Amino acid sequence: MIILTGNDLKTGAVVWWDGSDWVLHIENAIDVGGNAEAVMAREESARRVNVPYAVEATLTDGVARPNHIKDRIRALGPTVRPDLTLKPADPEIGNWVI
Amino acid sequence: MYAYDKYDQAMVDARVEEFRDQAQRRLDGKLSEDQFKPLRLMNGLYLQLHAYMLRVAVPYGTLNSRQMHALADIADKYDRGYGHFTTRQNIQYNWIKLEDAGDILADLAAVEMHAIQTSGNCIRNISSDHFAGAAQDELVDPRPYAELLRQWSSFHPEFMYLPRKFKIAVIASDTDRAAMRLHDIGIQIVKNDAGELGASFYVGGGMGRTPMIAPNIREFVPLDQLITYSEACLRVYNRYGRRDNKYKARIKILVHELGAEEYTRQVEEEFAHLLGQGIEPPIAELGRIKTFFTDPEFADGAKTVDRSDPDFALWVDRNTHRHKHDSYVSAVISLKPVGGIPGDATAEQMHLMAQLARDYSFDELRVMHTQNIVLPHVRIEDLHALWTALDEAGLGTPNLDRIGDIIACPGLDYCSLANARSIPLAQKISQRFTANGKEDTLGELKLKISGCINACGHHHAGHIGILGVDKKGVENYQLLLGGSEAEDTSLAKITGPGFSEDGIVDAVETAADVYLSQREDGERFLDTYRRIGMAPFKEALYG
Ligand code: SF4
């Protein structure tokens, strides 16, 4: 599947395209299939997102899991600061990244 | 230390307002990212993996306590309670919001700091010896020269759009603590046979994709020609440095392609031309700057410590450095706790270090390029009180220049250019070598880790270096041996095929074991490697 990501303009936070908006949690990312270029061009020119790009992912346990580790780290947060990730309470979450 | 005059302050304040306006236009959607990016980079604002990152310049690594408190306040108020001290003697914050950037720059300007020229193809923050002004072995304090170069290079209109970034280091001792020959220009302040001070110029060094050791292009430039000669070096580069390929755009490539002799000839020609242009600041300006770097009032006192507490004695042995006054030492605060993140400090730790600098070190701190902090002038009789306070705050790790004192760049945990993570390796290696007790036995061993070929973690210059590479989406690590960034500068060589994350930790231990089994009396890891060569290490690593 192809999902879209970028950074929020104001905060720089990693965001994912949920079909109508840019959201923090990758669980809400949708497969944009062949529409990636069109969505990114429209959203970037509307200044709604910073440097969007398409990510190849695999649906795993119902959630898009990016194929490249860089995007998995982006989705979660730094692996060396679990307290600063999006799921600080989940001790197993590091396994999702690695 | 140097204090801004009205011109410095006006320049920095004006830049704050200019950037505030630029950021607001970006937030209002009036600027695209393509338009905004070069503007934010000129103010040290990057976009990294998780957020904007702000890199703040610490000129030649020198800070006072007020500035360190301000850095701590920024971490608390605008970031997530910590900062990361870098291999360029700077600090960076990982979680900055664009809407806060103007306020942060204003807070920095209020304590005579900024983020200018911490990014982009300009002359970057000038680095220097972290023991400058304190070291027993220095000829003079190199910082006035670094400050003069800072003033010359700040907003220098001719050098705002160089082919690539440009890094200068200044030292004034034969012992190199600033990786001087791995800079675009390395300057050593020296004395000639007539007893006059001058500058010895090394040009064309660097790490990154194509590491090179800078050759000496002139042994002695009189101090009243320091800026003119620097300008000539830059001018030749600006004119002929390649702009068609960013991987070949650093001055080291130009010097290499022309040959040091031809590059030098061109510099000398330009220098002769510039001498007639009167661009050198009056020598009185150097004199004015020097007045900011006079010695504090050192007082005689105890010259030894009570060694009855073994933990304290160990810290003194490992983490203090000989001072030019025999009742003082320079004390190194390790930001490398076992299993910790190299170079990270919490806001509380920064506040504490600032307070300790005020209490024990004439209000001065230094950032080391090895990502530790120095209190440069500590009375020997105050060492126990200092160590006690540091130890209670987790800042008393006695591992300076040991295998646990690892340089690690932010790597794939934070950096958008990274191939692999650096920090987890540093954590595992420091834990491994503490648990197996070998850190003590190994003695001096400098281990440096970069998450990609850009080499911010100085892996080429590590006695042991590690480079993260991307192997079809999986992190992989190359092992390098034999580098040094000291006065015996050398570039490390790759041992062979790379390793997995756990494999590289084992490989480091294997290399360390080869050293332990082969070392001769008094040899460091690097000495043994130089004597026996790569073969025994390869044999042990790959069989
Ligand atoms: S070496 Fe590479 S990964 Fe590490 S901080 Fe520099 S650019 Fe990023």
Side-chain angles (χ1 to χ4, degrees), chain B residues 257-477:
Chain B
E257 287 184 353
L258 286 177
E261 208 172 306
E262 171 58 17
Y263 171 76
T264 308
R265 190 194 64 73
Q266 294 188 20
V267 169
E268 292 291 337
E269 197 175 285
E270 185 62 38
F271 178 56
H273 164 73
L274 282 171
L275 278 177
Q277 305 288 306
I279 65 159
E280 190 73 28
I283 198 77
E285 175 58 10
L286 185 58
R288 184 188 78 88
I289 291 172
K290 279 184 182 169
T291 62
F292 292 102
F293 294 94
T294 50
D295 282 347
E297 300 240 328
F298 297 125
D300 282 336
K303 299 188 179 9
T304 55
V305 292
D306 174 356
R307 300 179 60 86
S308 54
D309 179 338
D311 290 340
F312 169 59
L314 181 68
W315 180 81
V316 172
D317 291 343
R318 295 234 176 119
N319 283 39
T320 62
H321 187 262
R322 190 162 178 196
H323 196 278
K324 61 188 179 187
H325 191 292
D326 61 3
S327 302
Y328 288 76
V329 291
S330 298
V332 175
I333 302 173
S334 172
L335 298 183
K336 320 283 177 64
V338 178
I341 299 178
D344 275 13
T346 65
E348 295 74 39
Q349 289 175 325
M350 287 188 245
H351 279 306
L352 177 71
M353 292 189 284
Q355 187 56 47
L356 293 172
R358 180 171 279 261
D359 292 345
Y360 298 119
S361 185
F362 296 96
D363 205 34
E364 251 196 63
L365 307 105
R366 309 286 172 74
V367 182
M368 299 170 78
H369 81 269
T370 54
Q371 303 178 287
N372 293 313
I373 301 293
V374 177
L375 300 184
H377 313 294
V378 180
R379 279 172 77 108
I380 288 172
E381 60 197 42
D382 288 336
L383 276 174
H384 193 269
L386 171 66
W387 170 75
T388 304
L390 290 172
D391 202 40
E392 280 170 6
L395 292 168
T397 314
N399 60 358
L400 180 66
D401 294 339
R402 304 278 155 159
I403 195 166
D405 183 13
I406 298 168
I407 288 185
C409 78
L412 193 52
D413 278 299
Y414 292 100
C415 175
S416 57
L417 300 173
N419 287 325
R421 290 170 301 153
S422 308
I423 299 167
L425 297 191
Q427 293 175 310
K428 286 182 182 176
I429 291 168
S430 72
Q431 284 164 335
R432 166 84 63 100
F433 281 85
T434 306
N436 66 19
K438 289 180 187 170
E439 179 174 84
D440 288 340
T441 335
L442 285 167
E444 181 186 306
L445 203 169
K446 299 187 181 183
L447 196 149
K448 304 178 196 288
I449 309 172
S450 303
C452 80
I453 195 71
N454 288 332
C456 306
H458 297 188
H459 63 276
H460 300 294
H463 298 179
I464 296 179
I466 297 174
L467 167 65
V469 294
D470 181 343
K471 214 171 170 187
K472 294 184 184 145
V474 177
E475 296 165 299
N476 193 263
Y477 297 94

Side-chain angles (χ1 to χ4, degrees), chain B residues 165-180:
Chain B
K165 58 188 170 183
F166 203 92
K167 299 173 182 176
I168 301 176
V170 187
I171 65 171
S173 57
D174 287 335
T175 305
D176 183 0
R177 290 176 282 263
M180 183 268 288

Side-chain angles (χ1 to χ4, degrees), chain A residues 9-10 47 50 68 70 79, chain B residues 26 29 52 98 413 416 470:
Chain A
L9 186 92
K10 285 186 185 169
R47 312 271 197 264
N50 238 347
H68 199 285
K70 177 183 264 183
T79 64
Chain B
R26 173 67 179 136
Y52 294 98
L98 179 56
D413 278 299
S416 57
D470 181 343

